[in-house]
Amino acid sequence: MEEDVEELLAGAGEDVGVADDDNVEDFDIDAELERAEPSPGEDGSPSQEEEKPQKKVPWSLYKKSLSRVGRGVVTGFDVTSPEELSKREARLSRWEPEKLAAAKRDEEEAEKRAKRLARFGVAGAEGGVAWARFSATLAALQLEASQLYGVDEGRETAAAETSERLHARVLPVDRGSFKKLRSADLLAHFGRYSPTYVEWLGDEACNVWFAEQHTAGRAMAALTVEIPPAPASLGLQQQQQVDLSAWRLLSSPVRKARDDKWGKKGAYGTRLFVSEYVESLGVLEAPPFTATEIVGGNLNYAWRVEGEKGSVFVKQAPEYIKCLGKDFGLTAQRIAVEVAALREFHRVGFAPEVLHFDKDRCVAIMQDLKSFVLLRDELAAGRVDARLAAKIGAAVSRLPQDTTYDWLPDNNAAMRGIIRDYVFAKPFVDDPTNRSLEPPLGLRAAHLRQDPGFLEALKKARAIFDKRDCLAHGDLHAGSLMTDGETVVAIDAEFAFVGPRGFDLAFATAGYVFAYCASTAWATPDDAALRRRKAKDAISALWTAYGDLQVLPEAVILCACELMRRVLGAASVPDLSEISDPALRNSIDLLVLDLGALLLKHPPSGLPDFLISLDDAYDAHVFATPATPSN
C-alpha cells in the first residue's frame, strides 16, 4: 500500500516542540511563511499575503502577535460537561433519535468486538470494551499500536489545562505526509468549529486556535478519540516512557482541502478520498461524487460512490481481517482472486461487472447493485422464491464448462486453507475458536467428536473437498447472493478455488435448510409451516435446475459440514444467531446439528430422500419429549 495517513495527536495546554526563543539560527522562517500562506479570511478564502516578521523572530511568536484572522464561534459554556452531555442526549432522543440509535449501535458493536477479541485470544483483549473500540479506530487508520505508544522525543508531556488552542503533533511514522499539509487543510478539517488560524511549530507540530476555550473543547470532543492505556499483552516495552493521558488521537485523517503544489484535493499522503479516486478514473459521469461507507462486512472495507448519473461499489482489502483487527493478518491479494473470479462468473451472468481493479491499492470498483438485496434477508422475511433458486442452480451448473481457472495462483491456498480449517476441521475438535455450548447442545457436540462413525464420515467429506473438478465460488451462502426479484448474482468471491463440482451447490442448499430449520423462530406456527414447504420447493428447484444428479450425494455431505460448522464453529448465520430467546436458539441449533450429523453419516442418494430427511429430522426434534425423572 501507499504511504499511510497523517494521524495527529491533539492535546490541550503546553506547546510541545516549539522552537527555542533563544536559539533561532536554525529556524527556517521562509519555509514556515510559505507553509502558512495564504492565511484564510473570515469567509475561508485566502487573504493578502502577510508581511514576513523581522529576521530571527520565530514564526510561532510572530503569529501570536497577529490579530485573529477569523471571528470564530463562541460557545460560552463547556459542552463536554456531564450536565451538557446529558442535555445533548435528551435532545437527540427527541429530535434526532436515529443518531442516538446509531451511537448505541456503535457501543454494542464495541462490546461484540471485545468479546471476539477475548474469544480468539487477541493481544490487548484484557483492555475490554475501551480497547476494542480504540483498536477498531487504529485499524481504520491503518495504524499500528507500536507506532502510537512508542517513544517520541518531541512528545514527552502535555498539560491537560483548558485552552483556546489545540496542540497537534504528527506521529513519527507520518512525518513525511504531514509536510504536505498547509493551514487551509487544517482549517478545513476543523471547519465546523470555526478555527481562527494555525500556528506552525516546525515540521512536526502546530497549534490550531479557536475563538475561546469551550469551542476548542467541542472540536476536541467531536474530532478526536481518547487514547486508553496500552494493554500489557501487546508487549510494548516503551509504552510506560510516554505519558499519553493528556493526548487524544484524531479519529480521521487530515486531508488536502484544495489542489496545490504539495498535493491534490482530498489526498492524504499519496492517496485520495474514495470519491476523488473514483473521479480520477472516469468510471462515473457528472461529478461531484459522494462516498458512503457500507458497514457490516467482516473482511473488507466498502463504499458506495454516487453522482447524478449513477453509482459504483468500491471495495478495498486490508492485510488483515477487518472485524478482528490487525492482529489477524490475511493476505490483501485475496481481492485479486475475487476480481478474476467475478469476471469469470460475470461471463455466465452470475456476478456484477468489475469496472476497475487497482492491484497496488488492492481496490476494486464494481457495478453497484443498489436495487438488489441479500438473498439471506429475503429468506429471513419468508420470501422464499423457487424461481430464484432455479436460477442459482442453473448458473452454478454452468461453472464447470463455461469458466477457466488457469489464472488462479496456488489454488488460492491461503483462503482455501481457511475453508478447510473452519468448515471441515476446527468445528469437530476442541478448538478455542469454537462456540461455548451449553447442554444439551454441548453434550451432543462432545458425543459427535468422539463418535468413530461420525469421524470416519468426516474424513470422506475432507477427501471430497480436496477434489479439483472446476472453479468454485467457495462461499456461496445466502449472504453472498443478491437478487432484485428477477435475477440472482454472486458477490464476495475471495474464497474462489478449484474444488469439487458440488461445493457451491452444497452451500446454496444450506441457505434454504437454515431457513427451513429456523422457521419456528421467525413466524407463527401456520406461517412457519408455509415457510418450510417453500424452502423444500426451493431446494427441489435448485437441484432440478442444476441437473447433474450424480453430484448430489457428495453435495449433501458437503452441505452437512456447512450446517454443523455454523452451530459449532466461529461463524454462525443470522437465521440462528439473531434468535433472541436463548432456549429457542439452543433448540433450533440442536435440530441443525442433528440434521447435519444424519446427512453426513447417511447421505441420501437423491432429491426425494433428502427432502424426506428434512421432515424426519424436524418431526423427531419437535415431537421428542424429555425423559420423566424417576421418583
Side-chain angles (χ1 to χ4, degrees), residues 211-233:
E212 44 85 55
Q213 64 186 33
H214 296 310
T215 306
R218 288 180 62 210
M220 176 175 282
L223 301 178
T224 68
V225 294
E226 185 177 356
I227 303 175
S233 62

mmCIF file of all heavy atoms in Angstrom, residues 211-233:
data_model
loop_
_atom_site.group_PDB
_atom_site.id
_atom_site.type_symbol
_atom_site.label_atom_id
_atom_site.label_comp_id
_atom_site.label_asym_id
_atom_site.label_seq_id
_atom_site.Cartn_x
_atom_site.Cartn_y
_atom_site.Cartn_z
ATOM 1 N N ALA A 211 -11.804 30.620 18.870
ATOM 2 C CA ALA A 211 -12.189 31.892 19.473
ATOM 3 C C ALA A 211 -12.121 31.847 20.991
ATOM 4 O O ALA A 211 -11.782 32.846 21.627
ATOM 5 C CB ALA A 211 -13.606 32.284 19.025
ATOM 6 N N GLU A 212 -12.440 30.714 21.577
ATOM 7 C CA GLU A 212 -12.355 30.587 23.037
ATOM 8 C C GLU A 212 -12.279 29.116 23.411
ATOM 9 O O GLU A 212 -12.418 28.227 22.574
ATOM 10 C CB GLU A 212 -13.528 31.300 23.738
ATOM 11 C CG GLU A 212 -14.893 31.063 23.102
ATOM 12 C CD GLU A 212 -15.558 29.788 23.585
ATOM 13 O OE1 GLU A 212 -15.707 29.621 24.798
ATOM 14 O OE2 GLU A 212 -15.916 28.948 22.751
ATOM 15 N N GLN A 213 -12.035 28.853 24.687
ATOM 16 C CA GLN A 213 -11.670 27.520 25.136
ATOM 17 C C GLN A 213 -12.788 26.500 24.973
ATOM 18 O O GLN A 213 -12.538 25.328 24.677
ATOM 19 C CB GLN A 213 -11.227 27.570 26.600
ATOM 20 C CG GLN A 213 -12.332 27.993 27.560
ATOM 21 C CD GLN A 213 -11.813 28.159 28.979
ATOM 22 O OE1 GLN A 213 -10.671 28.549 29.169
ATOM 23 N NE2 GLN A 213 -12.650 27.863 29.969
ATOM 24 N N HIS A 214 -14.032 26.909 25.142
ATOM 25 C CA HIS A 214 -15.112 25.928 25.059
ATOM 26 C C HIS A 214 -15.299 25.424 23.632
ATOM 27 O O HIS A 214 -15.645 24.265 23.411
ATOM 28 C CB HIS A 214 -16.415 26.537 25.577
ATOM 29 C CG HIS A 214 -16.368 26.911 27.028
ATOM 30 N ND1 HIS A 214 -15.940 26.040 28.006
ATOM 31 C CD2 HIS A 214 -16.680 28.075 27.665
ATOM 32 C CE1 HIS A 214 -15.992 26.630 29.190
ATOM 33 N NE2 HIS A 214 -16.438 27.867 29.004
ATOM 34 N N THR A 215 -15.089 26.289 22.648
ATOM 35 C CA THR A 215 -15.171 25.853 21.264
ATOM 36 C C THR A 215 -14.047 24.879 20.943
ATOM 37 O O THR A 215 -14.248 23.888 20.234
ATOM 38 C CB THR A 215 -15.116 27.060 20.315
ATOM 39 O OG1 THR A 215 -16.132 27.993 20.689
ATOM 40 C CG2 THR A 215 -15.341 26.629 18.878
ATOM 41 N N ALA A 216 -12.845 25.161 21.452
ATOM 42 C CA ALA A 216 -11.741 24.215 21.279
ATOM 43 C C ALA A 216 -12.088 22.873 21.904
ATOM 44 O O ALA A 216 -11.775 21.811 21.351
ATOM 45 C CB ALA A 216 -10.468 24.783 21.898
ATOM 46 N N GLY A 217 -12.767 22.917 23.057
ATOM 47 C CA GLY A 217 -13.179 21.676 23.704
ATOM 48 C C GLY A 217 -14.194 20.910 22.883
ATOM 49 O O GLY A 217 -14.155 19.673 22.817
ATOM 50 N N ARG A 218 -15.121 21.620 22.241
ATOM 51 C CA ARG A 218 -16.097 20.959 21.374
ATOM 52 C C ARG A 218 -15.396 20.262 20.211
ATOM 53 O O ARG A 218 -15.733 19.134 19.851
ATOM 54 C CB ARG A 218 -17.092 21.980 20.831
ATOM 55 C CG ARG A 218 -18.091 22.511 21.830
ATOM 56 C CD ARG A 218 -19.025 23.510 21.152
ATOM 57 N NE ARG A 218 -19.783 22.879 20.095
ATOM 58 C CZ ARG A 218 -20.211 23.502 19.003
ATOM 59 N NH1 ARG A 218 -19.907 24.771 18.806
ATOM 60 N NH2 ARG A 218 -20.924 22.854 18.098
ATOM 61 N N ALA A 219 -14.451 20.965 19.600
ATOM 62 C CA ALA A 219 -13.727 20.385 18.474
ATOM 63 C C ALA A 219 -12.976 19.130 18.895
ATOM 64 O O ALA A 219 -12.976 18.110 18.195
ATOM 65 C CB ALA A 219 -12.764 21.411 17.886
ATOM 66 N N MET A 220 -12.336 19.200 20.071
ATOM 67 C CA MET A 220 -11.591 18.036 20.546
ATOM 68 C C MET A 220 -12.528 16.868 20.828
ATOM 69 O O MET A 220 -12.254 15.716 20.460
ATOM 70 C CB MET A 220 -10.793 18.388 21.799
ATOM 71 C CG MET A 220 -10.066 17.187 22.389
ATOM 72 S SD MET A 220 -9.003 17.614 23.778
ATOM 73 C CE MET A 220 -7.608 18.304 22.926
ATOM 74 N N ALA A 221 -13.669 17.142 21.441
ATOM 75 C CA ALA A 221 -14.606 16.068 21.779
ATOM 76 C C ALA A 221 -15.169 15.410 20.530
ATOM 77 O O ALA A 221 -15.383 14.195 20.502
ATOM 78 C CB ALA A 221 -15.736 16.622 22.647
ATOM 79 N N ALA A 222 -15.418 16.203 19.493
ATOM 80 C CA ALA A 222 -16.076 15.674 18.303
ATOM 81 C C ALA A 222 -15.125 15.003 17.328
ATOM 82 O O ALA A 222 -15.499 14.043 16.656
ATOM 83 C CB ALA A 222 -16.821 16.803 17.583
ATOM 84 N N LEU A 223 -13.886 15.476 17.238
ATOM 85 C CA LEU A 223 -12.992 15.040 16.165
ATOM 86 C C LEU A 223 -11.839 14.169 16.637
ATOM 87 O O LEU A 223 -11.018 13.744 15.827
ATOM 88 C CB LEU A 223 -12.429 16.269 15.430
ATOM 89 C CG LEU A 223 -13.471 17.189 14.792
ATOM 90 C CD1 LEU A 223 -12.793 18.381 14.143
ATOM 91 C CD2 LEU A 223 -14.315 16.446 13.781
ATOM 92 N N THR A 224 -11.772 13.896 17.923
ATOM 93 C CA THR A 224 -10.689 13.059 18.432
ATOM 94 C C THR A 224 -11.260 11.968 19.320
ATOM 95 O O THR A 224 -12.412 12.039 19.757
ATOM 96 C CB THR A 224 -9.664 13.891 19.237
ATOM 97 O OG1 THR A 224 -10.278 14.352 20.460
ATOM 98 C CG2 THR A 224 -9.167 15.090 18.445
ATOM 99 N N VAL A 225 -10.448 10.957 19.596
ATOM 100 C CA VAL A 225 -10.851 9.876 20.491
ATOM 101 C C VAL A 225 -9.827 9.752 21.610
ATOM 102 O O VAL A 225 -8.640 10.045 21.437
ATOM 103 C CB VAL A 225 -10.962 8.530 19.741
ATOM 104 C CG1 VAL A 225 -12.086 8.585 18.732
ATOM 105 C CG2 VAL A 225 -9.663 8.166 19.052
ATOM 106 N N GLU A 226 -10.303 9.321 22.752
ATOM 107 C CA GLU A 226 -9.429 9.144 23.905
ATOM 108 C C GLU A 226 -8.473 7.972 23.668
ATOM 109 O O GLU A 226 -8.835 6.973 23.055
ATOM 110 C CB GLU A 226 -10.273 8.887 25.148
ATOM 111 C CG GLU A 226 -9.478 8.796 26.435
ATOM 112 C CD GLU A 226 -10.365 8.609 27.647
ATOM 113 O OE1 GLU A 226 -11.610 8.623 27.481
ATOM 114 O OE2 GLU A 226 -9.824 8.448 28.759
ATOM 115 N N ILE A 227 -7.241 8.121 24.127
ATOM 116 C CA ILE A 227 -6.242 7.063 23.993
ATOM 117 C C ILE A 227 -6.161 6.295 25.306
ATOM 118 O O ILE A 227 -5.705 6.833 26.316
ATOM 119 C CB ILE A 227 -4.854 7.653 23.653
ATOM 120 C CG1 ILE A 227 -4.931 8.481 22.369
ATOM 121 C CG2 ILE A 227 -3.818 6.543 23.515
ATOM 122 C CD1 ILE A 227 -3.640 9.193 22.025
ATOM 123 N N PRO A 228 -6.625 5.052 25.327
ATOM 124 C CA PRO A 228 -6.559 4.284 26.573
ATOM 125 C C PRO A 228 -5.139 3.788 26.825
ATOM 126 O O PRO A 228 -4.306 3.759 25.913
ATOM 127 C CB PRO A 228 -7.512 3.119 26.296
ATOM 128 C CG PRO A 228 -7.403 2.905 24.815
ATOM 129 C CD PRO A 228 -7.212 4.280 24.223
ATOM 130 N N PRO A 229 -4.831 3.389 28.037
ATOM 131 C CA PRO A 229 -3.519 2.774 28.286
ATOM 132 C C PRO A 229 -3.356 1.525 27.430
ATOM 133 O O PRO A 229 -4.318 0.787 27.197
ATOM 134 C CB PRO A 229 -3.570 2.431 29.786
ATOM 135 C CG PRO A 229 -4.645 3.307 30.347
ATOM 136 C CD PRO A 229 -5.652 3.497 29.265
ATOM 137 N N ALA A 230 -2.165 1.281 26.954
ATOM 138 C CA ALA A 230 -1.924 0.106 26.128
ATOM 139 C C ALA A 230 -1.962 -1.151 26.997
ATOM 140 O O ALA A 230 -1.255 -1.226 28.002
ATOM 141 C CB ALA A 230 -0.570 0.211 25.435
ATOM 142 N N PRO A 231 -2.783 -2.143 26.647
ATOM 143 C CA PRO A 231 -2.809 -3.391 27.423
ATOM 144 C C PRO A 231 -1.437 -4.054 27.462
ATOM 145 O O PRO A 231 -0.683 -4.025 26.484
ATOM 146 C CB PRO A 231 -3.828 -4.247 26.664
ATOM 147 C CG PRO A 231 -4.687 -3.263 25.937
ATOM 148 C CD PRO A 231 -3.773 -2.148 25.563
ATOM 149 N N ALA A 232 -1.125 -4.648 28.587
ATOM 150 C CA ALA A 232 0.199 -5.239 28.776
ATOM 151 C C ALA A 232 0.489 -6.350 27.781
ATOM 152 O O ALA A 232 1.631 -6.571 27.383
ATOM 153 C CB ALA A 232 0.327 -5.771 30.202
ATOM 154 N N SER A 233 -0.556 -7.068 27.337
ATOM 155 C CA SER A 233 -0.337 -8.202 26.433
ATOM 156 C C SER A 233 0.162 -7.788 25.060
ATOM 157 O O SER A 233 0.604 -8.625 24.288
ATOM 158 C CB SER A 233 -1.626 -9.013 26.278
ATOM 159 O OG SER A 233 -2.644 -8.222 25.708
#
